[in-house]
Amino acid sequence: MTQNPYYKHHIFFCLNQRDNGQDCCANLGAQASFDHCKAQVKAAGLAGVGGVRVNKAGCLDRCAGGPVAVVYPEGIWYTVMDSHDVDEIVESHLKNGQVVERLVVPTEVGR
């Protein structure tokens, strides 16, 4: 039996804060990108069932590419530096299904 997914896209933003002085997405503006993405998805009419869900996440273990977000079901990882990057991801990927290649985190980038 094939079901339609509850959400077409799910985007998770790493908002992890490290207290030991190591680099982390929280120190690189991840909260602002998350907030902007939620607002843009809602403004574009993409939010909700059958559309897009924007979620907070703890450490996604791709710190060297941070701040990071990942879009499912495709599993595309993005480095999201500012609101312009968020706007491009919303318009290209979440709205039109086109990966934003310039923001994709290379496969070998981990922690």
Side-chain angles (χ1 to χ4, degrees):
M1 178 172 106
T2 302
Q3 287 187 348
N4 289 329
Y6 195 73
Y7 296 112
K8 182 178 179 183
H9 295 290
H10 219 130
I11 183 168
F12 293 89
F13 284 81
C14 176
L15 301 182
N16 191 54
Q17 177 67 60
R18 294 191 188 282
D19 296 326
N20 61 5
Q22 289 180 315
D23 285 338
C24 61
C25 292
N27 289 346
L28 299 171
Q31 182 69 52
S33 292
F34 168 80
D35 293 341
H36 187 70
C37 189
K38 278 194 78 91
Q40 291 303 100
V41 163
K42 186 175 181 179
L46 300 174
V49 177
V52 176
R53 175 76 180 172
V54 182
N55 275 96
K56 298 176 182 180
C59 184
L60 293 172
D61 214 27
R62 305 281 314 264
C63 309
V68 297
V70 59
V71 177
Y72 288 108
E74 299 91 335
I76 302 296
W77 291 81
Y78 289 115
T79 298
V80 184
M81 297 303 294
D82 56 31
S83 61
H84 299 291
D85 292 347
V86 170
D87 293 345
E88 194 169 352
I89 292 167
V90 170
E91 183 64 28
S92 292
H93 192 149
L94 302 180
K95 193 173 184 181
N96 296 312
Q98 299 297 311
V99 173
V100 183
E101 296 293 340
R102 73 175 190 83
L103 298 176
V104 172
V105 178
T107 304
E108 67 276 4
V109 173
R111 191 154 189 205

